[in-house]
Amino acid sequence: MAMAVAPDQQQVPAGGSSAPPRLLCVHDTTLVPPSPSPPETSLPLTFFDIIWLHSPPVERLFFYRLAPDADIDNIVSNLKDSLHQAVRAFYPLAGRLRLTPGASDRYELYYRPGDAVTFTVAECDDDDADIDGLATDDPREVAKIAALVPPLPEGGRLLALQATLLSARRGLAIGVTVHHAACDGSASTHFLHTWAAACIGAETPPPPPVIDRTLLTDPRGLYDTFCQAAPSTDEMEFVKMSADQLFATFTLSKNDLQRVKDIVANEAMRRGVAPPRCSSLVATFGFVWSCYLQRAKENCGSDEGSMTCLLFPVDHRSRMKPPLPDKYLGNCVGPAIGMAPKGELAAAGAGCLFSACAAVASAIDEAVRDIGTPSMDAWLDRIREASAKGVLSVAGSPRFRVYELDFGFGRPAKVDIVSVARTGAVAVAESRRSTGGMEVGVSLQPAGMERYRKCFADGIAWLHQPS
């Protein structure tokens, strides 16, 4: 497959085509360099990184409520000052992605003294940009939140940050845009936890990142395999975002997830088979996947016997040989692909949940077994095959603890992964309301969102019906 234009020769749009809020005023854009500056550094992309070469950036948005007497100037100043410390620890993110000089298919993260991360301070006085209306689970127009995350600057830049004061200065939105080829969600949220700890002057900050690409060996030559087969930007954007695209959040409580686990175990007993390993994450994926298929079941028709797929990431740091450090800065996630007949998942009831959760659990087992075997060679081919069948993908993880990100003015009122509006993924995080629950962010057009809300509500009600 032909390679696209080198990343340092193109600007990657971060906010989609949505119109920004009417009264978004940019007060200041600051370049925040690591201080003191590290020496010039080149970090080669690994086979895990190259998969994401042409991917859209990952956009996270954190909403915070501010006290009526909050010192806004002090808050913004602390965010900016503490960012120097965090950028110093994660200095490769201040650099850029480029084609390695003299090479035709080798890419690297290149940092040189003077490189910096952009930090934008803005304010939005649009009445539609009120914290109460934005930090909600209810469907919101993607256009209203897309401008609150900054675009990546031109030249293959890797990280951009934006702090936007919301209507009446009652809230603050912190937007984070990261190029996925630089690092995965585990590493990017490690950066955010480091920044938050620096902002509040934590006595025990998170451990520093491990910046050493030699720790990840490539005896199978997977870089060349994946580089030749790396998806194009169009392939990474599974959906084209419409002007009326919506974003909503759905919550599964710990009790809801326990009911899913119980129903799956009982169905396995009824069938006389061993129950799948049904963790809270498996239960979440299974329930959400089945709701997606039930939402679209009127479109299945004679296609009900065909397969549908769920694509989600699995962190392999601990499974590499030798294992990578938990705080390794880079990508170390591989695909897990659950497959099940559309008709089974589109049918409500215990059988639907059992099939979905069993497929998810089996996909995790297979992904773990793949590490270090020839099966890894076919990862990108399998992703393409899954996409052709119809795939729902997943972004985020409850392990990232995004609701613990306190910069000194409280925990987030809401966290969204805005970029799923373009990739067609669902965003998963821990519940902000109760321990042991899960939040799922979904982006759909209005008609599809209304059907999904009904399927989700009906599914929750069914879970708690008397046996």
Side-chain angles (χ1 to χ4, degrees):
M1 183 175 68
M3 299 297 289
V5 178
D8 58 343
Q9 297 173 346
Q10 61 181 333
Q11 180 176 6
V12 184
S17 58
S18 303
R22 294 185 298 275
L23 301 177
L24 182 69
C25 175
V26 174
H27 291 317
D28 180 47
T29 297
T30 305
L31 296 176
V32 181
S35 180
S37 177
E40 182 177 8
T41 305
S42 296
L43 293 176
L45 293 197
T46 70
F47 63 86
F48 279 120
D49 300 325
I50 197 66
I51 295 172
W52 306 100
L53 181 65
H54 304 299
S55 66
V58 180
E59 302 163 343
R60 281 188 171 83
L61 192 52
F62 299 80
F63 291 103
Y64 293 88
R65 297 183 189 277
L66 299 180
D69 60 348
D71 186 337
I72 302 298
D73 290 341
N74 187 56
I75 285 174
V76 172
S77 177
N78 283 345
L79 285 170
K80 189 182 303 183
D81 291 345
S82 59
L83 185 56
H84 284 278
Q85 186 175 335
V87 172
R88 174 64 178 87
F90 289 79
Y91 71 90
L93 299 183
R96 63 189 177 101
L97 175 61
R98 72 172 187 177
L99 190 65
T100 301
S104 61
D105 61 357
R106 289 292 185 270
Y107 293 85
E108 64 186 13
L109 306 185
Y110 173 64
Y111 169 82
R112 63 183 175 185
D115 284 344
V117 171
T118 59
F119 177 66
T120 299
V121 178
E123 187 162 357
C124 187
D125 284 331
D126 193 329
D127 290 340
D128 288 340
D130 179 78
I131 182 67
D132 294 328
L134 294 176
T136 178
D137 289 346
D138 293 334
R140 295 156 292 160
E141 294 177 15
V142 173
K144 290 182 179 179
I145 58 177
L148 303 179
V149 289
L152 290 178
E154 293 185 29
R157 295 297 170 177
L158 304 172
L159 174 65
L161 305 161
Q162 179 173 317
T164 305
L165 293 163
L166 302 176
S167 180
R169 296 194 162 195
R170 295 175 55 244
L172 178 71
I174 296 180
V176 183
T177 304
V178 176
H179 198 306
H180 208 323
C183 61
D184 56 23
S186 177
S188 64
T189 50
H190 180 203
F191 163 78
L192 295 175
H193 283 283
T194 301
W195 182 21
C199 200
I200 63 175
E203 292 184 6
T204 54
V210 177
I211 304 171
D212 185 355
R213 296 297 168 90
T214 66
L215 296 174
L216 183 60
T217 59
D218 185 16
R220 300 195 55 77
L222 289 170
Y223 181 95
D224 291 326
T225 300
F226 293 167
C227 187
Q228 294 171 11
S232 66
T233 300
D234 285 343
E235 288 176 300
M236 296 295 277
E237 293 189 15
F238 295 117
V239 296
K240 297 301 180 185
M241 191 168 63
S242 65
D244 58 353
Q245 194 87 8
L246 299 176
F247 190 100
T249 301
F250 299 85
T251 300
L252 286 157
S253 69
K254 182 178 181 179
N255 190 30
D256 296 334
L257 295 174
Q258 187 58 53
R259 285 295 301 144
V260 173
K261 296 174 188 179
D262 292 343
I263 289 168
V264 169
N266 290 338
E267 179 66 11
M269 184 180 301
R270 188 188 71 80
R271 298 185 181 198
V273 298
R277 186 169 52 83
C278 196
S279 65
S280 292
L281 196 64
V282 170
T284 299
F285 288 175
F287 186 87
V288 170
W289 190 16
S290 63
C291 285
Y292 249 81
L293 267 294
Q294 289 164 31
R295 170 189 66 89
K297 64 183 177 182
E298 64 265 29
N299 298 324
C300 288
S302 60
D303 198 30
E304 289 191 7
S306 64
M307 303 299 283
T308 184
C309 304
L310 181 76
L311 172 64
F312 57 96
V314 175
D315 191 315
H316 291 302
R317 283 169 172 78
S318 64
R319 301 184 181 100
M320 303 309 294
K321 295 181 180 179
L324 288 182
D326 180 54
K327 300 305 182 184
Y328 167 78
L329 178 60
N331 284 282
C332 194
V333 292
I337 303 175
M339 300 183 65
K342 284 184 180 179
E344 284 187 20
L345 265 61
C352 160
L353 274 183
F354 177 85
S355 294
C357 291
V360 172
S362 176
I364 294 173
D365 291 341
E366 183 178 7
V368 172
R369 287 196 307 268
D370 277 356
I371 294 301
T373 73
S375 296
M376 295 177 70
D377 300 5
W379 273 0
L380 296 188
D381 291 336
R382 293 184 61 216
I383 290 172
R384 280 196 173 85
E385 290 171 6
S387 299
K389 289 183 171 68
V391 65
L392 174 64
S393 58
V394 177
S397 168
R399 296 186 303 104
F400 299 160
R401 302 177 294 109
V402 292
Y403 282 106
E404 295 180 17
L405 277 165
D406 184 350
F407 289 88
F409 36 88
R411 295 190 176 195
K414 187 77 172 60
V415 181
D416 294 321
I417 302 181
V418 182
S419 46
V420 300
R422 285 200 313 281
T423 61
V426 295
V428 176
E430 75 276 18
S431 171
R432 68 190 187 278
R433 293 194 176 92
S434 61
T435 303
M438 299 278 189
E439 284 186 6
V440 181
V442 174
S443 183
L444 293 165
Q445 294 176 14
M449 182 67 77
E450 188 56 36
R451 289 196 300 271
Y452 190 81
R453 292 179 77 187
K454 183 178 187 308
C455 288
F456 194 94
D458 289 349
I460 294 293
W462 175 81
L463 286 179
H464 298 284
Q465 285 181 347
S467 301

